[in-house]
Amino acid sequence: MQQRYLNIAWVLTAIVAIWAIIAGNVDSIPYWTIAIPAVLAGFWWAFGRGFLGIERDDAKK
């Protein structure tokens, strides 16, 4: 499950990076649209383990 969490997290991060490059190079895409995938990626990094049911090791102590 940990690998699945990381795979999803890195794919979302790559989407943010690619979208930022595209939005920066194309004048027809507003810059604020970068925030949409960035917020999704940030929430996944913060809460994805809980969504998948993975407990953190330090939470057991």
Side-chain angles (χ1 to χ4, degrees), residues 3 8 10 15 20 23-24 27-28 30 32 34 37 41 45 47 49 56:
Q3 188 62 37
I8 293 170
W10 283 114
I15 290 170
D27 291 333
S28 62
W32 63 266
I34 300 168
W45 278 106
F47 304 112
R49 284 187 180 108
R56 293 179 51 183

Side-chain angles (χ1 to χ4, degrees), residues 1-33:
M1 281 294 226
Q2 179 70 19
Q3 188 62 37
R4 183 176 177 197
Y5 161 75
L6 288 174
N7 287 343
I8 293 170
W10 283 114
V11 166
L12 288 172
T13 302
I15 290 170
V16 172
I18 292 168
W19 189 251
I21 291 169
I22 291 170
N25 290 325
V26 178
D27 291 333
S28 62
I29 300 174
Y31 291 125
W32 63 266
T33 60

Side-chain angles (χ1 to χ4, degrees), residues 35-50:
I36 296 167
V39 167
L40 291 175
F43 273 116
W44 185 261
W45 278 106
F47 304 112
R49 284 187 180 108

